[in-house]
Each structure stands twice: as C-alpha cells, then as structure tokens.
Amino acid sequence: MKTIKSINPFTEEINAEFETLNEQQLNEKIEIAHKAFLEWKNVSKKEKKQLFLNLANELEKDIEECSRLETIEMWMLNHVSKAGLQKTISLIRWFANNFEEILQEKDYISEWVKVKEMYDPIWVIFWIAPWNFPFNQLLRAAVPNILAWNTQVYKHSSNVPMSALKIEELFTKTGFPKWVYTNLFVSSSFTETIISNKYIAWVNFTWSEKVWSKIWSLAWKYLKPSVLELGWNDAFLVLENSDIEKVVDLAVKWRIKNWWQACNSSKRFLIPEKKYDEFLEKYKSAMESLVIWDPMDEKTQLQPLSSEKAVLEIEEQIKRAIKSWAKLEIWWKRLKGKWFLFPATILSNVTKETSSFNEEIFWPVASVMKYSTIEEAIELANWTDFWLSAVVVWNNEKEAIEIWKKLEWWMIFINANAWSKASLPFGWVKKSGYWKENWPDWLKAFTNKKVIVY
C-alpha cells in the first residue's frame, strides 16, 4: 500500500503518514459522493446558507490549529497563515450571504414568448488543489461548487495531507451531510480513473503548465468541462517619476509574499534606466537584510520552501538564467544543515532572451530589467506567455491611465501590491489558464443554466 507523508519543511521531520486509496476504494467514494448529490440538491437555500455560515464560524474558532497545520506542512509564516485564513473566512461568508441573489430564478419576455431562467447543479466536481495556500486555494473553489448544490471530491497536494484532512473534518463537524465534501488520498496515477468516472461532471486544476496538458487532454477526452490555473510571471512596472523608496518597499513586500510562492506576486521588475542603479542597490540591501528562520517565529520574514525538490528546482532555474546572460546580484546557495531553507536571490541584466523572463520561477528569485522608453516598458510587461496581474508604481495619474489601457493583463494594481476578494474576478490570460475564480460568475459556472420557454 502506498502512503502520503506530511513533512515539516523546517525540521524535515515526518508529521504524519496516510495510506492511499486503491482503485476500488476510489470509485466507491466517487459513487457515494454522487448518491450524496442526489440528496444535497434538495437542501433548501436557507439551510445551505446556515451551514456555510457555520463553516466560517468553525474555521474562525479553529484558526490556531489550522494555521499551525499550514506552517508545519508547507512552511507558511504563522502570522501570514492566520491572515490568509481570515480572508478565507470572509470569502465563505460573502458567498453564503450572496448566493441566493446570484442564483435566483429570472422571468422575462423575449421575442413574444415567456422565458424562465434557473440554475441546476451538475453532479460531482473533481478538483486538484495546490499546496501554497492549503485552505484558501481549496475552499475558494469548494464553497461555490457546493453552494451550487454540487458535491465535491478533492485531491489535495501530496505534501499537505493533514490540512486536507482538516478541511474534510470542518465540513463534517459543521453539520454538512456526509460525502458532500470528500477528501481523496490518491496517487496521481489514478487521475484518468477519476476523470473518466461517469459521475464526475467537471474537472478543475490548479498547478503548473508542466502538467496541465495531461489534465486538459483527459478532460476533453472524456468530454468534461474544465478550469485551469497554470503559470504566472507577473510584471512590476515602475514609472520614471516614482518615489524609489516606495518602489523598493513594495518590491520587497510583494516578491516575498508567502516566501515568493504566490501566483499573483510580482516576479519581473521593470525599472527605468535613470532609476535602475539606485533601485538595484537599495533592493539588494533590503533583500539581504531579511530574516530567514523558523516560520513559527514572528521575527522570521522568510520561511523554508515546501520541499527539497523545490530547492533543487530553484538551483536549476538560476543556472539556466545565468547561462542566458542574467547577472547574479545576491549569491545563492543552500543554507547548511537545512535542506529546505534558501536565501533571497536577485537576477539583474535580464532581457527577453533570459530564461527567467518568460519562465515562471515560483521561488525566492526576482528578475530585474531596465527599459529606456515607456513603449519598451509596455512591450516588456506584455511579452510573456503567463499573465495574471500587474503592478504599476507612478506619481502622475494622467500618464498612468494611458499605460493601464495598453497593458494586457487581467487585473492591474496601482501603487499597491496585488490581492484578491470574493466579489471580484480572479483569473488568467493566455497560457496562465482560463476562467475566472471568485465573483458571481464563478458560482454560476458550476451550474447548468436552464432556460424554460412557454
């Protein structure tokens, strides 16, 4: 029997170990989830709303334990974890308080006939979740899925099994009918088995572009709609009239968010020639002063990476960037004694030919490049396969507005770091994936919009 291990990234000790499901057990769980769907779809909106408000309350009561699990399983700074869980609680409450209006029936007349629109659920939804925000990444999908009367089976990332189990426990403890939410401890080799199951109606995937094509092809092979969130290589565009002290402060805070491993954190820093040397000098100084240590310690600013594999991947990506003419501004190497600790790294002299320009580095590496004209800056910002959000730092609003219009990103943040809210769309452009999470249409996505003409 294969197992999944939870390993503490700071101590490298095994937190826990869990047996994986065999094929028969897996199919049984999916079938039971479908049987649960047949009952869940008849639960009233009033009862559903209360269950989800209870879920938010239970998560809030148990925030200390949930944040501890995020920290010991995937390195998240403990105070960052608590802030992220509060955001997740707000997301649950927003959907619970607004889903009735979003999914309400609509009557109207069109071309002289009466029409009624209503939203029906679509069976069991399968989701593959990432590890970087174990609770938020999973619940921001599970909540609208289940509010739309579907049931959910989840394969969480293999390095956060304790968090995965805790989420299932929260649903059960809150009073949800059993099997409305089902955690799957299963090998990735069973992916096709799950997607091909007749009860699975939708496939959602959050990971990297390296494996997305397999999931996408399987979804289409079995005619299942899908949502894909893949790579990101967000731009941080600095205008010439910007306050460099403010720029450096934002550049440090946002690149180190969740120890660099956040999809919408800035990764490519576009600096005007006249400000380039000053920015680089101050950015290096700020990065070198960051404290890297135990994620449970409030003084820690940089925590361990999620795994030894992550450290090895960083080393290879940095080597590729140097071979393609990037300059190493801060020396990189593993920290002795702790395999999962890795210091901040800055690559300068980055151009469109440098590997890190168009290759997402989901680790503690910042790519810095200069531009001579604003037209060049816009071209560099837009020249990537992976698009999510962009940050623009400026002092002249008129100039900034003209630039916003020319940036081809999903969301643009002005003089502030990127964020997300339940009420606003969160999504991707080009090879970063398709569909938009959060916002009302995210809830509608997991329904069959039924039209009755009479």
Side-chain angles (χ1 to χ4, degrees), residues 44 67 101 105 109 140 197 209 228 277 316 361 364 412:
S44 70
S67 62
E101 181 180 353
E105 296 181 6
I109 295 176
R140 78 181 188 197
N197 189 290
E209 74 283 0
L228 297 180
D277 291 339
E316 290 304 313
I361 302 182
I412 299 166

Side-chain angles (χ1 to χ4, degrees), residues 366-385:
S367 294
V368 182
M369 60 202 75
K370 68 175 71 172
Y371 69 85
S372 56
T373 66
I374 196 62
E375 289 74 23
E376 181 188 9
I378 292 168
E379 180 189 3
L380 289 170
N382 289 336
W383 193 279
T384 179
D385 289 337

Side-chain angles (χ1 to χ4, degrees), residues 246-407:
K246 182 176 182 180
V247 168
V248 170
D249 183 60
L250 285 173
V252 171
K253 287 180 179 177
W254 202 233
R255 189 62 195 101
I256 69 169
K257 180 189 178 185
N258 205 27
W259 193 206
W260 318 76
Q261 297 167 126
C263 59
N264 58 349
S265 65
S266 301
K267 299 174 179 69
R268 296 179 303 134
F269 296 83
L270 281 60
I271 313 297
E273 281 182 331
K274 292 180 180 179
K275 300 277 189 176
Y276 184 80
D277 291 339
E278 182 185 1
F279 169 80
L280 203 53
E281 180 183 352
K282 292 180 178 180
Y283 194 37
K284 285 164 58 178
S285 177
M287 287 293 206
E288 287 174 325
S289 67
L290 296 171
V291 178
I292 178 170
W293 192 236
D294 185 347
M296 291 297 290
D297 190 332
E298 290 189 3
K299 295 179 182 178
T300 299
Q301 295 169 288
L302 302 177
Q303 65 269 37
L305 300 185
S306 58
S307 65
E308 182 181 357
K309 179 183 176 183
V311 176
L312 295 173
E313 286 183 5
I314 292 177
E315 293 181 333
E316 290 304 313
Q317 287 184 297
I318 292 174
K319 288 176 183 176
R320 283 199 296 274
I322 293 171
K323 285 181 179 178
S324 51
W325 312 112
K327 179 183 176 183
L328 202 58
E329 292 290 341
I330 297 181
W331 184 249
W332 59 276
K333 60 181 177 180
R334 301 181 191 181
L335 299 185
K336 291 182 180 179
K338 299 293 179 184
W339 281 92
F340 298 177
L341 291 174
F342 199 95
T345 300
I346 296 176
L347 296 170
S348 65
N349 198 39
V350 173
T351 68
K352 287 195 289 188
E353 286 68 45
T354 304
S355 60
S356 64
F357 180 85
N358 200 44
E359 174 185 286
E360 181 194 21
I361 302 182
F362 202 57
W363 318 115
V365 180
S367 294
V368 182
M369 60 202 75
K370 68 175 71 172
Y371 69 85
S372 56
T373 66
I374 196 62
E375 289 74 23
E376 181 188 9
I378 292 168
E379 180 189 3
L380 289 170
N382 289 336
W383 193 279
T384 179
D385 289 337
F386 306 111
W387 310 52
L388 184 55
S389 59
V391 172
V392 178
V393 186
W394 56 279
N395 281 335
N396 185 313
E397 182 174 355
K398 184 177 180 181
E399 180 185 12
I401 289 173
E402 291 306 309
I403 292 168
W404 304 344
K405 295 176 182 178
K406 298 174 183 177
L407 292 176

